[in-house]
Amino acid sequence: MLQLDRFTEAPVPIKIIITIVWAGVFFAGLWILWWRTPATAKTPAPEVTSQMSDSSSKVVAGTVGQVQQGGAGSTFITHVAVNEPDSDRQTQDLYFRAISLAREILQFSADRQKSEPPYGPPSDRLNYERQISYSRTTVATYTERYSWRVTGILEELRREGLIDRSLESSNAHPTNPLGVESIGHDLTKISEQYRIAQAAK
């Protein structure tokens, strides 16, 4: 209380000087604390981003190549190990994707045939129109759902030296439900040809 009374009774210039001195001491203390803090604690952990193309065959391993310990208990990844799949895995992957797609198409064809309206000659106009409409819907659904996927598989097989121009043509322009079923069978055949050719290498 005595010191506070002396401060309040002091002339104004002395009050200003004392205030400046105390402020200097306070900010000097803050600067010392900041200077002694490790640099890793001042820098936020970098955001880890990963960009991989859908067509990339790279597989990111489940192990971290290098982990760096930051300040204040923070841990961040600086490197992730990446492994390329071997040729056997690539071979099996293409075969299984091709054969799975062929089976999916054959199942689609079988399901559509089960729900097919009764056959009617052109003279039975109502049943005939139902049959035509159902057939067109089957072909349109195949084109939207499967045609582009078959094209991708055939392109991969072409790069491996296997070409089936008849299958390429029927896939690009399916004519009727029987043609859709034929595509499934032909894709199965070329998939097996690929598997046998790779096994012989």
Side-chain angles (χ1 to χ4, degrees):
M1 292 293 294
L2 182 60
Q3 293 178 351
L4 182 60
D5 291 340
R6 290 179 179 176
F7 178 78
T8 56
E9 294 175 358
V12 173
I14 296 178
K15 290 181 181 179
I16 295 174
I17 294 173
I18 293 174
T19 302
I20 293 174
V21 170
W22 278 109
V25 171
F26 175 75
F27 285 110
L30 288 180
W31 182 84
I32 292 172
L33 287 175
W34 181 87
W35 182 74
R36 292 176 59 85
T37 304
T40 53
K42 302 172 189 174
T43 306
E47 183 179 354
V48 179
T49 58
S50 175
Q51 296 180 350
M52 293 185 65
S53 170
D54 292 338
S55 60
S56 174
S57 61
K58 292 184 178 181
V59 177
V60 178
T63 57
V64 176
Q66 181 183 353
V67 176
Q68 201 173 74
Q69 188 73 24
S74 62
T75 303
F76 52 90
I77 299 172
T78 58
H79 173 69
V80 178
V82 176
N83 294 332
E84 295 283 353
D86 55 26
S87 58
D88 289 341
R89 181 168 182 173
Q90 289 176 337
T91 298
Q92 293 176 2
D93 180 58
L94 175 54
Y95 168 72
F96 284 121
R97 283 188 291 113
I99 201 69
S100 296
L101 179 56
R103 291 170 180 169
E104 193 175 338
I105 292 170
L106 289 173
Q107 185 61 55
F108 164 76
S109 176
D111 291 342
R112 292 294 293 177
Q113 289 180 29
K114 289 178 183 178
S115 304
E116 215 170 28
Y119 174 78
S123 58
D124 187 351
R125 187 173 183 81
L126 181 60
N127 283 338
Y128 180 74
E129 288 181 352
R130 286 176 180 172
Q131 183 74 27
I132 295 299
S133 176
Y134 192 84
S135 175
R136 289 174 177 171
T137 301
T138 299
V139 172
T141 302
Y142 168 82
T143 301
E144 179 182 355
R145 190 181 299 176
Y146 299 107
S147 181
W148 60 276
R149 295 168 61 189
V150 173
T151 298
I153 291 292
L154 292 178
E155 181 61 31
E156 291 187 66
L157 291 171
R158 176 184 286 273
R159 290 197 292 266
E160 297 294 332
L162 289 173
I163 301 174
D164 189 332
R165 299 192 185 282
S166 176
L167 176 54
E168 291 176 358
S169 177
S170 58
N171 176 62
H173 305 286
T175 55
N176 52 49
L178 291 178
V180 170
E181 182 181 2
S182 178
I183 291 171
H185 289 303
D186 290 343
L187 184 58
T188 300
K189 291 178 184 178
I190 196 171
S191 301
E192 292 296 339
Q193 290 173 8
Y194 171 73
R195 181 183 63 81
I196 293 171
Q198 294 299 314
K201 288 184 178 181

